[in-house]
Amino acid sequence: MPSAALRHDLYGQVRDWEQNLYDAVGWTDNSMGEATAHSELVALIFAKDDLQPAEWQELFGSITDSYKRHSKDLDGVAIAHVCFLDQIPTSAASGRVGELRISATKPPTLRECKTFTDSQNLQALQKQHHVEILLQPGSLYAAHRTPGLAVFDMDSTLIQQEVIDELARAVGLYDQVAAITEAAMRGEEPYTDFEASLRARVGLLKGVPTTIWEQLKDGPITFTPGASELLRVLSKLGWKGAVLSGGFTPLAEWVKETLGLRYAYANHLVTDPALDQLTGELVDGKPIIHGLKKRELLLQIAKENGLEPENVIAVGDGSNDLPMMEVAGLGIAFNAKPKVQDAAPSKLNSKTLLDVLYILGYTKEEIDAALAAPS
């Protein structure tokens, strides 16, 4: 077990690793604020199982030792601060979400954080302790305290379903739509890009009554656990929200209104007003919301609000979300496909979207207070 000093932020005391973890870790001042140094690496550890104090102790030390070897900063790397974001300071138990700040001689970049995340040592630690570790530069972590822009994909992110699949299933066309989707994923002609496969699938929807949208809202479409609470907290803290979807405007607008988002962009379907049916076409002149368009829209919305990229987060699950993740201050692959998790700047596999707030450095106390505050 490593022997290293911990700075106890609340009492200004220095304790040793050999002391009880409750004294050394649990009761620090876990408000992040401006205390995060720009030269720090911040590791957020999400435990999938209940970890005992000794396991947390070992894990914090092992991550620090691994970063020391990875960065070759043998003298400058040290533990600066530890706490549990999901426990109030007077609690008597370890938490599920640990925050570890590691001081370093040279401030890490987000790309360097990603490289360290993908290293064999850190991958082995995550498997050994059944945890997920998300790394950020201290400067970026501190920047989250300034309210910014939160951009989300819709399908399998804010909602639990893929709309095109549920739409097709509701009208008995699931197999045909799925066949096009699978061909597109294999790169088969003529579905070699997002627009071609989208137009082909939309074409199958000709004659579907427009009442299908209400049918989907009342039936199979469900919000991802934590989505409503996450957006309520972000709104109360001053963040602006946007949904950028490769799906369709009737549901994207509904998601926007239901969750209190500021912006919604999705694909526009042509309807026949005389028959109240879909024509199987996309509206001419309206942009197709593919990956590069999501990137463009994120930058556009940020500019309109006078925000720098570091004050933008982007959350999604698909490959068409990667372009917007890469230009945001922090891109998060949420319960994403393996290839997307490998390519994304960071990843989070969780049962609830509310965990995104811990990634931004907010504590359980702050989250509970925001949820309890009047709108």
Side-chain angles (χ1 to χ4, degrees), residues 22 27 87-94:
Y22 296 140
W27 323 142
Q87 292 292 331
I88 60 174
T90 55
S91 175
S94 301

Side-chain angles (χ1 to χ4, degrees), residues 129-152:
H129 294 279
H130 302 287
V131 299
E132 186 162 71
I133 301 172
L134 191 149
L135 304 174
Q136 301 177 62
S139 58
L140 178 61
Y141 193 56
H144 298 324
R145 301 301 283 198
T146 301
L149 173 67
V151 176
F152 298 89

Side-chain angles (χ1 to χ4, degrees), residues 22 51 60 92 100 111 115 147 154 169 193-194 198 214 259 271 297 313 330 374:
Y22 296 140
L51 298 184
F60 288 143
L100 166 66
R111 184 174 295 276
T115 302
M154 183 171 72
R169 185 178 282 112
D193 60 38
F194 177 80
L198 176 65
E214 294 304 318
L259 296 181
T271 61
L297 287 168
I313 65 167
L330 183 64

Side-chain angles (χ1 to χ4, degrees), residues 13-14 73 99 128 132 180 187 244 308 327 337 356 364:
Q13 300 173 348
V14 176
D73 186 4
E99 179 201 89
Q128 176 187 349
E132 186 162 71
I180 295 174
L244 307 182
E308 297 297 328
V327 296
K337 301 164 184 66
V356 169
K364 177 175 172 55

Side-chain angles (χ1 to χ4, degrees), residues 58-357:
E58 178 185 354
L59 184 56
F60 288 143
S62 296
I63 294 171
T64 305
D65 285 349
S66 293
Y67 185 60
K68 182 179 293 187
R69 294 191 298 271
H70 179 83
S71 65
K72 298 181 173 60
D73 186 4
L74 301 182
D75 297 322
V77 169
I79 292 175
H81 168 87
V82 289
C83 70
F84 293 114
L85 295 179
D86 62 327
Q87 292 292 331
I88 60 174
T90 55
S91 175
S94 301
R96 179 180 64 88
V97 185
E99 179 201 89
L100 166 66
R101 300 187 213 159
I102 302 172
S103 61
T105 303
K106 178 186 175 183
T109 65
L110 188 59
R111 184 174 295 276
E112 288 169 341
C113 288
K114 170 67 173 174
T115 302
F116 181 39
T117 302
D118 294 339
S119 66
Q120 287 186 341
N121 283 343
L122 214 63
Q123 291 293 320
L125 280 176
Q126 293 180 85
K127 290 180 180 179
Q128 176 187 349
H129 294 279
H130 302 287
V131 299
E132 186 162 71
I133 301 172
L134 191 149
L135 304 174
Q136 301 177 62
S139 58
L140 178 61
Y141 193 56
H144 298 324
R145 301 301 283 198
T146 301
L149 173 67
V151 176
F152 298 89
D153 176 40
M154 183 171 72
D155 294 15
S156 297
T157 302
L158 288 178
I159 62 174
Q160 294 181 289
Q161 295 77 24
E162 293 288 327
V163 170
I164 188 70
D165 290 346
E166 297 305 321
L167 188 59
R169 185 178 282 112
V171 294
L173 295 170
Y174 179 78
D175 290 343
Q176 295 94 312
V177 168
I180 295 174
T181 301
E182 291 169 7
M185 292 178 66
R186 292 192 297 267
E188 295 179 3
E189 295 286 353
Y191 313 120
T192 53
D193 60 38
F194 177 80
E195 181 174 347
S197 64
L198 176 65
R199 289 187 182 278
R201 287 176 289 180
V202 167
L204 293 174
L205 303 178
K206 182 178 181 179
V208 172
T210 55
T211 54
I212 189 64
W213 304 118
E214 294 304 318
Q215 182 181 333
L216 291 178
K217 294 175 195 176
D218 294 338
I221 301 300
T222 55
F223 286 102
T224 300
S228 177
E229 293 84 353
L230 168 62
L231 271 302
R232 280 169 55 200
V233 172
L234 288 177
S235 177
K236 289 180 179 180
L237 292 172
W239 286 72
K240 297 176 177 65
V243 56
L244 307 182
S245 174
F248 307 111
T249 50
L251 283 180
E253 288 292 337
W254 171 68
V255 166
K256 170 192 166 187
E257 295 302 320
T258 304
L259 296 181
L261 298 165
R262 186 73 63 89
Y263 304 92
Y265 290 90
N267 296 302
H268 294 256
L269 295 175
V270 178
T271 61
D272 184 333
L275 299 175
D276 285 329
Q277 294 178 348
L278 303 180
T279 68
E281 301 166 302
L282 293 166
V283 176
D284 288 338
K286 294 291 185 180
I288 303 296
I289 311 300
H290 46 59
L292 292 179
K293 190 63 181 180
K294 288 188 177 186
R295 176 186 185 276
E296 178 186 326
L297 287 168
L298 180 150
L299 294 173
Q300 173 188 313
I301 297 170
K303 184 177 181 180
E304 289 174 0
N305 288 277
L307 295 170
E308 297 297 328
E310 70 176 8
N311 290 122
V312 181
I313 65 167
V315 184
D317 76 301
S319 58
N320 66 334
D321 297 315
L322 287 171
M324 72 173 184
M325 290 187 204
E326 290 165 359
V327 296
L330 183 64
I332 304 167
F334 180 75
N335 293 342
K337 301 164 184 66
K339 288 185 178 180
V340 177
Q341 294 197 32
D342 290 342
S346 64
K347 64 181 180 179
L348 174 65
N349 292 288
S350 173
K351 296 178 181 178
T352 173
L353 266 173
L354 199 58
D355 278 350
V356 169
L357 289 169

